[in-house]
Amino acid sequence: QVQVMESGGGLVQAGGSLKLSCTGSGGTLDAEYVVGWFRQTPEKEREGVSCSRWGPGTTYYADSVKGRFTISKDAAKNTFYLEMTNLKPDDTAMYYCAADEGDMTSYGYCHKSSHRWGQGTQVTVSS
C-alpha cells in the first residue's frame, strides 16, 4: 500500500494561487488506486475537495472549489497535485491527501469517512 506525503502549502493573499503536491512512496500509484485531496479546519468536519481515480474516470470536485481547483497526476513522479487558483479566505484549512487501492468512484472516495491520510499541509489565505 502506497504511503503519501503532502507539500506546497503556505500563506497567500486572496485571489492568489498555490499548487499542492502529494508524493507516493513504498509502491506505485496506478490504475488500481483512487486518490484525493481533503481539507479540515477546527470549526468544520473534514471535506473532500477533489478526488479521482488514477486511471481513466470522472473527477469529483466539491461545489465550493469547482472552476478554481484542478487535480492532476504525474505517473513518472508518482505524484498528484492540487492546483488552486482564485483562492479565498474560506479556503484556509489544513489540506490532506490520500490514496487507496480499490474500485471506489471518485465521488465515493471524497465522501468516505476514513482514508490513509498524509501529515497535512497548511494553506492560509489572507483577505
Side-chain angles (χ1 to χ4, degrees):
Q1 185 71 275
V2 173
Q3 296 186 337
V4 293
M5 180 174 290
E6 310 87 346
S7 62
L11 173 64
V12 64
Q13 288 188 330
S17 301
L18 277 176
K19 188 173 184 178
L20 307 182
S21 301
C22 181
T23 300
S25 62
T28 301
L29 292 167
D30 59 23
E32 298 299 317
Y33 278 83
V34 58
V35 300
W37 288 97
F38 305 80
R39 65 186 181 185
Q40 188 171 26
T41 67
E43 297 79 24
K44 297 180 183 178
E45 292 185 356
R46 197 168 295 193
E47 173 189 26
V49 173
S50 180
C51 296
S52 177
R53 291 209 58 87
W54 192 263
T58 58
T59 297
Y60 168 83
Y61 292 99
D63 287 343
S64 57
V65 307
K66 277 181 183 176
R68 301 188 299 122
F69 290 12
T70 304
I71 191 170
S72 61
K73 300 155 245 177
D74 186 335
K77 296 181 179 180
N78 214 34
T79 298
F80 59 100
Y81 306 93
L82 184 70
E83 185 152 17
M84 306 182 292
T85 63
N86 192 21
L87 282 161
K88 304 175 181 181
D90 281 351
D91 295 318
T92 295
M94 185 71 80
Y95 283 71
Y96 300 86
C97 65
D100 283 278
E101 288 182 291
D103 59 1
M104 192 168 287
T105 64
S106 55
Y107 177 90
Y109 194 62
C110 261
H111 290 83
K112 185 172 174 288
S113 60
S114 64
H115 302 77
R116 297 172 61 86
W117 308 109
Q119 294 299 307
T121 186
Q122 178 68 37
V123 172
T124 302
V125 184
S126 63
S127 57

